[in-house]
Amino acid sequence: MATGSNRKTKQRDALVSVLERAERPLSVAELLEAASKRIEGLGVATVYRAVGALLDDGRIDAVEIPGEPTRYERSDKGHHHHFQCEKCDRVFDIAGCLDNLRKLVPPKFRVKQHSVMLYGVCATCSR
Ligand SMILES: [Zn+2]
Ligand SMILES: [Zn+2]
């Protein structure tokens, strides 16, 4: 089964490199569209399986957005947040974080984690 697993490895590497080139989180549908140009005969079930394996390996992270299909991104990006365009639905990375989150909570509350999601219109759609 060496050729089978070899093909799987190739498919996974191709999906990771698609995510690297995209520089923004992609849904399974977006991944499939982008990767099928490079991998012949790629189907949605294969993408789901590869995404599951890449999550298990820690090579990619899931980006959960309420009411939206999960997006996936490389796991080595460091702390950042996301922006979703309300016209094209694409999700983009935004660098950095908000300052002084601790000041938003009452005294003696401890903030342990946070999530920040910005919504608006991307540069392409605002033209
Ligand atoms: Zn847009
Ligand atoms: Zn943050």
Side-chain angles (χ1 to χ4, degrees):
M1 295 298 283
T3 49
S5 60
N6 197 14
R7 199 185 58 174
K8 270 188 203 163
T9 305
K10 273 191 187 159
Q11 287 174 338
R12 278 165 206 176
D13 288 346
L15 289 172
V16 169
S17 74
V18 164
L19 284 176
E20 273 163 13
R21 279 165 189 233
E23 290 185 335
R24 62 181 188 84
L26 299 179
S27 65
V28 164
E30 288 174 318
L31 254 178
L32 178 61
E33 197 194 335
S36 57
K37 288 171 199 146
R38 314 169 81 200
I39 313 167
E40 257 182 65
L42 189 70
V44 69
T46 308
V47 175
Y48 269 109
R49 270 198 304 275
V51 160
L54 291 167
L55 284 171
D56 288 346
D57 290 348
R59 291 177 73 185
I60 64 172
D61 284 332
V63 179
E64 307 283 0
I65 304 160
E68 285 283 320
T70 304
R71 267 68 166 188
Y72 301 93
E73 64 183 4
R74 274 164 38 216
S75 56
D76 57 358
K77 284 194 193 169
H79 188 83
H80 67 284
H81 295 285
H82 296 110
F83 176 105
Q84 185 172 31
C85 175
E86 59 192 22
K87 292 204 172 165
C88 66
D89 286 336
R90 290 185 296 174
V91 176
F92 300 89
D93 289 346
I94 47 174
C97 192
L98 304 175
D99 290 328
N100 295 321
L101 283 170
R102 277 184 310 162
K103 287 188 180 165
L104 297 175
V105 296
K108 295 190 178 164
F109 280 49
R110 281 194 302 149
V111 178
K112 291 196 167 180
Q113 54 173 308
H114 62 271
S115 73
V116 178
M117 186 74 200
L118 303 182
Y119 297 92
V121 181
C122 76
T124 309
C125 293
S126 45
R127 269 192 222 131

